[in-house]
Amino acid sequence: MMRFYSSTMRCCFSTTPPPNPATEQNVLSTARERYTTPHAIWEALSTDHVKLLRASYLVKLAREGRVLCRRQELPPDAFIGVEELKSLYGDGNRDGVLPVLSVSFCWDTPPHPDPSGKQVATVAAALEREMPEYAKMGFTEMGVFWDWAALYQKDPALFDSTKTPEAKPEGPERDAFLEDLKEKRAFYGGEAYEQSRTPDQKEAFGRALHNTMDLWYAHQGTTVYLLTQLPKGTRRKLGYDDSGWTTYERRSAEQIKKVYLYEAKWKLVRDLGSDDLDKRGAGSRNWPLDPDGFDELIESKQFTNGADKGTVKTLYRKMSKAQLSGIEMLDFTGISAPSVGISGYFAPNGCCFCPNAFISILLHSYPFFTCTCIRSRVSAFSKIHRHSRR
């Protein structure tokens, strides 16, 4: 039997088939490979839908005190191509780590995510600190997924701040405007802002959103920077933990990223808003959520575009089922004990983790889930009786 360890929880992916037809197991394995092998990343970058920034470009931009432009206004040398990334990756490495890094952050203003350049400066400082470690793996350059520069964006110069819910008085007028947004009789930021991408650019954006956004944070081989602190002086009221997209990005990033690595000497999920990056390690990461639990969680978060709530639910469900179906063992060694429960992860009193309830939820969510045991140093249990749908 061959096992592949991964994740926050160091999930053990086993080639021992669960009690399902062989064809179903092959489908599961293929779906999971989307998040564990580089092929899906290379395929996503082979189109014009998504482009990755050069890490060196971001560092240069910050040193010069400049602001990051949207994708359409960036020079060609700001981007790194898929063939160069493949060359950097070479024959691969024992950890399966890729020369790809994703940034999870809050947009500082609706038309421009970082008009002051402060978030670029934060990321660039981390890159300068970490690049020597990346270079030891042969990654002398990194491709950075930053949505503002990776996807085709609307023109911030055409944004009309009067065409937003926040600009409308609370009550019937705001409610009517929200209904108009929902029915597409009105557009957030105004019609000129909405139409500021060409039809081809808008189509490419849609394809990137629905077909690749599950990769950049959730893939086991990408490194993710979390900017959990808003930039100083921001007027934004909604924080990182209250935002819908950043909740999706963080939960996706934490699900199957490896904690213990053989060759790579850095954390694959780094909270740049933490004062204690190294010591906290995996302990600051969340336990995984089943799709129903995520749906419940995301209902309490806010989105600029209300339609995005359904998008992230779909992306998370697709990712989560592909990653966790067919898992044989969960290893949570090093992960802090959870304190707040969703969808029955806990005993009825809400304060004590209940592993059997956790397994039951996974069984309900993933028809081919075959977990033989859970391991953890943060609780008194080590083994759980085998659960499977026979």
Side-chain angles (χ1 to χ4, degrees):
M1 179 178 66
M2 189 179 299
R3 292 180 174 181
F4 301 91
Y5 283 90
S6 72
S7 146
T8 299
M9 45 194 177
R10 292 196 294 172
C11 291
C12 177
F13 299 143
S14 172
T15 56
T16 300
N20 308 287
T23 54
E24 291 177 335
Q25 176 63 15
N26 290 337
V27 169
L28 292 175
S29 298
T30 301
R32 188 160 56 244
E33 286 175 2
R34 175 174 175 81
Y35 305 98
T36 59
T37 69
H39 307 304
I41 296 285
W42 304 151
E43 183 180 358
L45 294 174
S46 66
T47 70
D48 188 50
H49 304 155
V50 183
K51 286 190 174 183
L52 302 187
L53 288 169
R54 291 182 178 275
S56 59
Y57 179 81
L58 283 172
V59 171
K60 180 174 182 288
L61 200 70
R63 286 177 177 172
E64 296 173 354
R66 293 192 287 141
V67 173
L68 182 64
C69 300
R70 65 174 179 151
R71 172 177 165 172
Q72 292 94 310
E73 296 160 0
L74 288 169
D77 61 2
F79 301 103
I80 185 170
V82 63
E83 294 305 320
E84 185 174 348
L85 288 169
K86 286 182 180 180
S87 178
L88 290 166
Y89 183 68
D91 295 328
N93 54 79
R94 193 177 179 186
D95 298 318
V97 174
L98 299 169
V100 175
L101 185 150
S102 301
V103 179
S104 173
F105 75 113
C106 295
W107 280 41
D108 193 17
T109 68
H112 194 295
D114 189 30
S116 67
K118 292 177 181 177
Q119 300 197 90
V120 164
T122 298
V123 171
L127 286 171
E128 288 199 87
R129 182 174 61 248
E130 298 293 323
M131 282 302 291
E133 289 297 332
Y134 303 156
K136 292 177 184 177
M137 293 280 289
F139 302 161
T140 53
E141 184 64 273
M142 295 283 280
V144 180
F145 177 84
W146 193 312
D147 60 355
W148 176 240
L151 312 180
Y152 286 114
Q153 303 290 347
K154 300 170 189 175
D155 187 350
L158 297 179
F159 183 81
D160 184 350
S161 61
T162 67
K163 305 295 185 180
T164 65
E166 297 77 17
K168 308 299 180 184
E170 289 189 22
E173 186 176 349
R174 181 178 293 186
D175 293 341
F177 183 76
L178 288 170
E179 185 63 24
D180 287 344
L181 289 178
K182 181 180 178 181
E183 298 299 325
K184 298 189 182 302
R185 294 188 294 264
F187 301 97
Y188 188 88
E191 187 170 359
Y193 178 65
E194 175 65 25
Q195 302 299 328
S196 60
R197 287 179 294 212
T198 67
D200 286 345
Q201 290 172 352
K202 189 173 182 178
E203 181 185 3
F205 178 88
R207 289 182 180 275
L209 180 67
H210 297 290
N211 299 335
T212 75
M213 281 298 289
D214 61 314
L215 287 173
W216 310 114
Y217 302 95
H219 194 283
Q220 196 173 61
T222 62
T223 299
V224 178
Y225 286 176
L226 312 175
L227 275 64
T228 57
Q229 300 297 318
L230 299 179
K232 291 183 179 180
T234 183
R235 294 184 178 180
R236 180 187 172 98
K237 296 179 180 179
L238 196 67
Y240 184 94
D241 292 337
D242 298 315
S243 173
W245 270 108
T246 50
T247 297
Y248 164 75
E249 291 159 4
R250 181 168 195 163
R251 287 288 181 167
S252 299
E254 292 175 330
Q255 183 143 285
I256 67 163
K257 289 281 195 294
K258 295 179 182 178
V259 171
Y260 300 104
L261 304 171
Y262 294 100
E263 298 178 57
K265 303 302 180 184
W266 66 87
K267 301 295 183 185
L268 294 182
V269 180
R270 300 299 298 266
D271 181 358
L272 302 189
S274 169
D275 293 329
D276 193 7
L277 293 175
D278 294 315
K279 291 181 180 179
R280 293 181 70 188
S284 63
R285 289 166 65 173
N286 293 297
W287 286 49
L289 271 179
D290 71 295
D292 290 341
F294 179 79
D295 287 354
E296 180 181 332
L297 175 66
I298 212 68
E299 282 297 325
S300 65
K301 308 303 177 181
Q302 295 188 36
F303 293 85
T304 299
N305 182 350
D308 286 348
K309 183 178 291 186
T311 298
V312 299
K313 287 181 178 181
T314 300
L315 288 170
Y316 188 89
R317 188 170 293 270
K318 169 188 174 182
M319 170 211 77
S320 197
K321 288 195 171 185
Q323 290 177 345
L324 296 185
S325 292
I327 284 178
E328 183 186 71
M329 185 181 72
L330 301 178
D331 188 340
F332 292 91
T333 301
I335 308 301
S336 298
S339 58
V340 178
I342 293 178
S343 296
Y345 280 24
F346 299 84
N349 61 13
C351 63
C352 179
F353 177 69
C354 179
N356 284 302
F358 183 74
I359 288 293
S360 296
I361 290 167
L362 293 180
L363 279 167
H364 174 75
S365 300
Y366 312 111
F368 311 121
F369 183 77
T370 57
C371 180
T372 56
C373 67
I374 286 184
R375 293 179 181 172
S376 174
R377 292 176 183 170
V378 300
S379 54
F381 63 86
S382 60
K383 295 231 180 207
I384 293 177
H385 294 297
R386 183 180 182 87
H387 293 262
S388 62
R389 292 188 173 183
R390 297 185 182 275

